[in-house]
């Protein structure tokens, strides 16, 4: 019996020494220390032995049990540490690896500019013109005739118009002013609208000119509207758009649909009036066309010019965007080069 126990111990210690994983140890524990183990059988049968033998074999069986348990614990600690090290090594983060790149979309700089302009005017009580009052494919009637451009007026040539082959008078609109007429036909005064959109002109494309660009048109018609209202409104717009009031100048000009007409210059934002390349040395930048709505235009849409008066204005979106962000080539807005677009 004693020999059997010693043999048993030896074989257990042997296996423990050879064990490599915690699973191995689990197996050994089952084999040598469980209820079904040989060791347990010996302990169970102690009662059949003589008192003398019971003492010796009992003590030996206990000591064998303790030795196996101790050995298992020691080995378990070693294996646990080893396995933990392996696991940590396998899972450690390599901070030199490149991060994951999540591309995000952006709002196009021209859309941002249009949104900013519209938001400013909405803050002053203007609404967006109805969509159907702002078509890009337009008739000469709304683009020119109703805006007091006489049939043979040379000014028609200054906005080199694209004609379509849909019908003789169907064109791509050359200005957003067409929406003034359409809005006045569909709404009674008081009218206070803003109308952003695309316009087309047969221009040679260059750093400064594109044959498609954007304008924002504004129109206000009510009783007792004066040039003073126009000045106050547009100076306020300039203050909000350029984030601070700037000197402006209202230069007398001509548009067939306004009388009097003005072009509005703002002191150059690059050189503060000293004269630079952007302002061509003049110290001023032209940013708006405007004027009091011509009585002929009001009559044309059935609004009595003796009762109502109004002002209108139009601005180039690309120009305002170029000034704000110092962009020196209009074509950059349309090439869709991500390196450019990502900067906004
Ligand atoms: N439509 C003009 C253009 O394209 C700009 C303009 C000038 C609009 C005066 C207006 C205005 O509403 O009153 O050059």
């Amino acid at each position: 019996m004693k020999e059997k126990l010693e043999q048993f111990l030896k074989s257990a210690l042997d296996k423990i020494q050879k064990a490599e994983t915690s699973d191995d140890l689990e197996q050994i524990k089952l084999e040598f220390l469980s209820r079904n183990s040989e060791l347990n059988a010996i302990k169970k049968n102690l009662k059949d032995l003589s008192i003398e033998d019971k003492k010796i074999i009992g003590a030996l069986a206990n000591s064998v049990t303790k030795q196996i348990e101790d050995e298992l614990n020691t080995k378990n600690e070693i294996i646990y540490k080893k396995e933990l090290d392996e696991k940590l090594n396998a899972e450690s983060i390599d901070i030199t690896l490149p991060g994951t790149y999540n591309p995000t979309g952006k709002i196009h700089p021209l859309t941002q500019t249009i949104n900013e302009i519209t938001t400013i005017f909405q803050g002053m009580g203007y609404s967006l013109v109805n969509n159907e009052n702002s078509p890009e494919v337009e008739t000469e009637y709304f683009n020119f005739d109703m805006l007091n451009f006489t049939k043979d007026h040379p000014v028609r040539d200054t906005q080199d118009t694209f004609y379509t082959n849909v019908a003789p008078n169907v064109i791509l609109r050359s200005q957003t002013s067409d929406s003034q007429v359409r809005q006045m036909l569909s709404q009674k005064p008081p009218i206070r609208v803003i109308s952003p959109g695309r316009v087309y002109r047969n221009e040679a494309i260059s750093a400064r000119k594109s044959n498609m660009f954007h304008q924002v048109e504004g129109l206000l018609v009510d009783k007792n509207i004066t040039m003073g209202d126009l000045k106050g409104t547009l100076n306020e717009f300039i203050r909000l758009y350029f984030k601070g009031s700037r000197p402006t100048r209202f230069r007398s000009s001509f548009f067939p649909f306004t009388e009097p007409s003005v072009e509005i210059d703002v002191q150059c934002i690059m050189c503060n009036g000293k004269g630079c390349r952007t302002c061509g040395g003049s110290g001023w930048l032209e940013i708006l066309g405007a004027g009091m709505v011509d009585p002929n235009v009001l009559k044309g849409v059935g609004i009595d010019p003796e009762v109502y008066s109004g002002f209108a204005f139009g601005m180039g979106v690309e120009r305002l965007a170029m000034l704000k962000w110092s962009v020196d080539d209009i074509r950059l807005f349309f090439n869709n080069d991500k390196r450019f677009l990502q900067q906004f």
Side-chain angles (χ1 to χ4, degrees):
M1 191 75 83
K2 196 177 154 200
E3 246 166 55
K4 207 173 167 191
L5 274 172
E6 274 161 3
Q7 196 54 42
F8 183 83
L9 176 63
K10 192 174 169 295
S11 132
L13 296 183
D14 226 39
K15 285 200 172 169
I16 292 172
Q17 211 205 346
K18 287 191 188 128
E20 284 183 349
T21 67
S22 37
D23 281 349
D24 292 348
L25 289 183
E26 218 34 58
Q27 279 305 318
I28 296 169
K29 203 170 166 185
L30 267 178
E31 184 181 342
F32 292 93
L33 296 178
S34 72
R35 277 166 170 272
N36 301 325
S37 68
E38 232 178 298
L39 186 59
N40 209 40
I42 292 172
K43 282 182 186 168
K44 264 191 199 155
N45 295 330
L46 280 178
K47 59 182 186 322
D48 302 332
L49 299 178
S50 66
I51 297 191
E52 252 344 73
D53 285 351
K54 222 188 262 179
K55 270 190 187 161
I56 298 165
I57 301 299
L60 187 58
N62 281 341
S63 130
V64 165
T65 309
K66 174 124 188 6
Q67 280 186 68
I68 295 176
E69 279 174 354
D70 286 353
E71 252 342 87
L72 274 173
N73 283 341
T74 316
K75 186 77 184 201
N76 187 42
E77 221 156 280
I78 294 168
I79 287 180
Y80 174 77
K81 269 202 190 124
K82 194 182 104 203
E83 286 180 345
L84 186 65
D85 275 353
E86 281 169 4
K87 194 169 171 224
L88 288 177
N89 276 335
E91 287 176 2
S92 71
I93 297 164
D94 180 355
I95 56 161
T96 65
L97 282 175
T100 43
Y101 169 62
N102 292 322
T104 47
K106 293 223 167 179
I107 297 178
H108 192 282
L110 291 180
T111 310
Q112 286 187 41
T113 308
I114 290 173
N115 289 346
E116 197 179 343
I117 296 168
T118 350
T119 305
I120 290 173
F121 282 104
Q122 281 171 331
M124 297 195 237
Y126 287 70
S127 316
L128 273 175
V129 100
N130 295 339
N131 245 349
E132 66 270 20
N133 285 341
S134 185
E136 288 173 34
V137 179
E138 186 51 292
T139 55
E140 280 191 87
Y141 180 74
F142 288 111
N143 194 87
F144 290 127
D145 301 346
M146 290 292 276
L147 286 163
N148 204 32
F149 287 75
T150 53
K151 285 277 183 224
D152 55 352
H153 203 293
V155 125
R156 290 199 193 216
D157 294 338
T158 66
Q159 302 189 355
D160 289 304
T161 311
F162 281 118
Y163 284 78
T164 70
N165 51 18
V166 178
N169 291 328
V170 176
I171 60 168
L172 299 183
R173 70 169 171 192
S174 63
Q175 51 183 355
T176 45
S177 306
D178 64 326
S179 58
Q180 289 186 32
V181 179
R182 288 178 173 274
Q183 191 69 26
M184 285 190 283
L185 284 172
S186 67
Q187 183 190 355
K188 296 235 164 315
I191 299 171
R192 201 186 287 205
V193 286
I194 198 90
S195 170
R198 288 197 180 127
V199 301
Y200 301 83
R201 290 182 197 180
N202 189 10
E203 308 262 20
I205 296 171
S206 69
R208 320 218 97 227
K209 293 203 160 158
S210 165
N211 53 17
M212 185 280 289
F213 57 98
H214 298 76
Q215 291 185 330
V216 175
E217 191 83 11
L219 173 71
L220 185 143
V221 182
D222 203 347
K223 287 178 180 157
N224 303 318
I225 300 301
T226 68
M227 194 79 181
D229 298 311
L230 167 104
K231 267 190 96 171
T233 302
L234 294 178
N235 276 336
E236 180 65 356
F237 164 71
I238 289 165
R239 185 180 76 80
L240 293 171
Y241 183 78
F242 290 107
K243 314 257 186 282
S245 68
R246 305 195 65 82
T248 50
R249 90 185 167 182
F250 287 61
R251 251 185 312 110
S252 157
S253 182
F254 174 78
F255 300 103
F257 43 94
T258 46
E259 183 58 37
S261 303
V262 288
E263 279 176 304
I264 301 165
D265 300 336
V266 63
Q267 192 185 60
C268 180
I269 54 163
M270 305 294 168
C271 65
N272 286 324
K274 288 188 201 75
C276 67
R277 247 186 52 185
T278 305
C279 58
S282 73
W284 295 96
L285 298 162
E286 186 215 313
I287 60 159
L288 276 152
M292 302 306 291
V293 182
D294 194 291
N296 273 343
V297 174
L298 293 176
K299 268 186 232 153
V301 294
I303 295 176
D304 185 352
E306 298 298 328
V307 181
Y308 291 101
S309 54
F311 63 77
F313 54 88
M315 60 189 99
V317 174
E318 282 76 2
R319 189 168 166 77
L320 284 169
M322 286 166 87
L323 287 175
K324 182 160 219 160
W325 286 304
S326 302
V327 175
D328 61 4
D329 192 328
I330 195 171
R331 292 169 291 196
L332 288 166
F333 291 120
F334 307 116
N335 289 344
N336 285 333
D337 185 329
K338 277 208 254 169
R339 290 167 301 177
F340 173 74
L341 296 176
Q342 269 163 355
Q343 298 176 49
F344 299 94

